[in-house]
Structure formats: structure tokens, C-alpha cells
Amino acid sequence: WWTSTRQTAMAVYALTDYLERTDALNPDMTVSLTLNGREVYSEKITRESWPRFDGVRNFAAAEIKPGENEIVIEKKGAGSPTYTVGLRYHAAGENLPASKGGLTIERAYHAIERREGERLLRRLPEGFTAVSGQEIEVTLAFTADREYEWLMVEAPLPAGFEPVREYWGFWGWNWNYWYSTKEFHDERVSIGMRSIPPGVHTASYTMRAETPGDYHVLPARAFNMYFPEVGAHSAESRVKVGEMKR
């Protein structure tokens, strides 16, 4: 198993050498795909055509029957096809609860208040209402029963909010957080962790209310970059944004 980005790169180099030495770059084969006895795809692949080959086939939920399903990939001719089968799904409903397990995430919101030059945080209840222009600090609390490595955290932003970006100086010389990196996107904040030791650890960021409305906030989730099935997610949240009083 690959335990770092560098090792992953070396594995890609090795696979490239393997393809060259096994003559896998000179295919002359026909590949077909059957789902539950029904052929849904067939294509002839040659040295000239494989650079344009797009073998991705997606199936809608309606094409998958309840219970056991059979996918058959067949090859005729010279070549060594490789394949991956994946399943993506989402949980229906609202007010999704937090996941349970060895790693858990709790998300909390705080109003930022300043008194006599001091920055204070006031915990906000679930479903709170912010005012356009108000800054809210979001705190993610991670509880780990053991050490976890190579975690990526993605914390969605409510649709009516914008992230307040942080700057750490030239080449990040002012970085002093326990985690490895923090990135700000239009719709989420991403936090990378080389490792997280057992115990409770927190990470925070600030967002600014912009557009009035009533918003769902999808759960914040953490996943291992090399084993995505290892991870956790917080509960879903609801927030509101009201007009600024003038």
C-alpha cells in the first residue's frame, strides 16, 4: 500500500515501466461490458485508437437492481485491459446525523465579538440567524481513538456565505497550526492533516454572511487520501442570513 504522495508517484513510474515491458501499449483487442446479462458496451482498441479511448461507463440507479448485480468484462484479442468498479451514493433525507466510530467530527458556530480590543467568541445555537456582513467562526472538533494518517477534511460553506481567507506570510513562514495545510475555496474549506494523534483536536476558520436566505449546510467530512473509506462526517446544519439593519 502507498503511504505518501511520493510513494504514489514512484508506483506510477513503476506501472509505466511495466506497461512498456509487457507490450501493453500495442493492443489489438475488443473489450465488452455486460450488466446483468445485457451487453451495454463493446469497442475495438488498437495502438492507433487507444489514446482516444474513453472507457468510463456510468450506470444510473434505475439500471441497478435490488440485491446482487453482475458485471462482466470480456476481452478478445491481444492486450491486457485493466479496470476499476466503483459505487457512489448519497443518503436521502434532511438533518443528517454525525457518523459514529473511532473518528468523529463535531461542528460548532460562534459569533465573533470585540470588546475593548479583545476578540471574543459566543457559541451560537443550531439554526442561528446571522446578519449580512457578520463574521462567524466555525470550529471543527475531531475526536480520535487512535492515530490517523493522511486525512483530508472538506467543510462545505453555506450557500449565502463567503470564506474569510487567511494569509501566512511569504512561503507560509508564519504557519503555526498542528495540521499541515488549509485551503479556501468558493464553496468549501479544505484542511490537510499529515496525522492526527489520539484525543480531541480542533481546527477553525471564519466565514462572512453575504446573501439573505435559509440554508442547509452539508456535513463536514474527513477521509484518508489513500483509503477513502476510512473517515467520518459531522451532522448537517441549518443557518439563516437576514438583512442588515440600516
Side-chain angles (χ1 to χ4, degrees):
W1 299 101
W2 309 331
T3 58
S4 71
T5 305
R6 181 174 297 176
Q7 289 186 16
T8 300
M10 298 309 298
V12 172
Y13 289 145
L15 290 171
T16 302
D17 291 340
Y18 170 81
L19 291 175
E20 182 178 10
R21 296 188 181 188
T22 57
D23 205 33
L25 299 180
N26 296 289
D28 185 12
M29 60 182 174
T30 299
V31 176
S32 62
L33 174 65
T34 300
L35 172 64
N36 294 326
R38 177 175 62 90
E39 185 176 270
V40 295
Y41 167 76
S42 180
E43 183 173 346
K44 184 174 179 61
I45 305 170
T46 64
R47 178 182 176 85
E48 291 72 27
S49 66
W50 79 262
R52 302 184 300 275
F53 172 66
D54 179 13
V56 178
R57 291 298 176 270
N58 296 316
F59 300 105
E63 298 180 82
I64 307 299
K65 64 182 182 181
E68 183 176 319
N69 289 265
E70 182 180 57
I71 297 176
V72 177
I73 300 174
E74 292 184 305
K75 183 259 308 187
K76 296 180 181 179
S80 301
T82 58
Y83 63 89
T84 298
V85 178
L87 175 65
R88 297 185 62 182
Y89 65 94
H90 70 275
E94 298 182 355
N95 302 318
L96 300 175
S99 62
K100 298 179 181 180
L103 177 67
T104 61
I105 306 175
E106 181 182 359
R107 180 170 54 190
Y109 299 95
H110 299 83
I112 301 175
E113 300 177 349
R114 291 177 172 82
R115 299 175 186 172
E116 300 180 353
E118 185 178 2
R119 185 178 186 270
L120 303 175
L121 298 178
R122 175 172 54 85
R123 178 84 180 244
L124 295 170
E126 177 65 26
F128 70 92
T129 299
V131 178
S132 292
Q134 182 181 7
E135 292 188 353
I136 304 295
E137 180 159 303
V138 185
T139 301
L140 302 175
F142 305 91
T143 302
D145 63 342
R146 59 176 176 85
E147 182 180 18
Y148 291 84
E149 294 186 316
W150 306 113
L151 290 182
M152 177 60 70
V153 177
E154 293 188 342
L157 295 168
F161 287 74
E162 292 291 334
V164 178
R165 302 178 187 274
E166 302 173 16
Y167 299 93
W168 303 286
F170 186 69
W171 293 114
W173 284 346
N174 295 325
W175 184 268
N176 60 357
Y177 298 104
W178 62 270
Y179 42 87
S180 303
T181 183
K182 183 191 293 183
E183 297 179 356
F184 295 89
H185 306 269
D186 291 338
E187 80 289 356
R188 73 186 189 282
V189 175
S190 300
I191 300 174
M193 303 176 184
R194 167 62 179 80
S195 65
I196 179 172
V200 180
H201 311 273
T202 61
S204 62
Y205 56 92
T206 303
M207 62 183 186
R208 181 185 299 108
E210 297 282 351
T211 308
D214 186 351
Y215 304 103
H216 290 257
V217 192
L218 293 176
R221 68 187 189 104
F223 58 92
N224 184 292
M225 290 185 286
Y226 302 100
F227 301 95
E229 64 274 12
V230 176
H233 64 79
S234 71
E236 181 183 359
S237 303
R238 293 286 296 272
V239 300
K240 297 179 181 179
V241 178
E243 295 279 1
M244 179 185 297
K245 295 182 180 180
R246 301 183 184 276

